[in-house]
Amino acid sequence: MKTLIAVLLCTALCWDGLNALCPDPATLTDVNGGKVCARMFSRSTVIYAQSCVGDSLDSYSGDDIPTISLLWNNRVSALVVSRFCSLTVWSRFRKQGVKRKFSAGIQHRLKDVGQGLGILRDWDNDISGYMCEC
């Protein structure tokens, strides 16, 4: 019985540690300590502990990017939005196509987020413009 309790306790504690790859929305900052509105990542997996990896793109409050750079077009697979902030994304350049607003928190896998009723696409690798507000 003690072994079972120890295993369950370790699993709970280890699981929290495994999610540490995605930054905490409450303390999302850049390398200089400046507040980041949202951070987008190029890779994610079905295992949340392995999400929020690969290249990352920071967005700051007030950023309004109707046409994302070609380097990032259709490459975002996971994202983290800071507390008290929101990230609005579009599926096409110049704020065209499907629109979605992400509130503060972690989205480990954009493949799990559909674009809407009757639309068979998800948001994985389908962001072409964004706006971030805090």
Side-chain angles (χ1 to χ4, degrees), residues 79-119:
L79 56 87
V80 177
V81 180
S82 282
R83 238 171 56 185
F84 310 116
C85 298
S86 65
L87 177 70
T88 304
V89 298
W90 287 268
S91 64
R92 301 287 173 257
F93 288 125
R94 293 183 304 278
K95 297 182 179 180
Q96 300 295 310
V98 181
K99 173 181 166 182
R100 166 132 185 163
K101 189 175 201 173
F102 290 94
S103 299
I106 299 171
Q107 188 60 59
H108 290 97
R109 193 168 177 243
L110 290 175
K111 192 153 194 71
D112 297 335
V113 181
Q115 289 191 1
L117 294 174
I119 301 174

Side-chain angles (χ1 to χ4, degrees), residues 21-22 40-45 49-56 77-78:
L21 283 179
C22 291
M40 295 167 265
F41 296 90
S42 63
R43 290 192 6 229
S44 67
T45 68
Q50 296 173 1
S51 290
C52 300
V53 293
D55 297 329
S56 64
S77 289

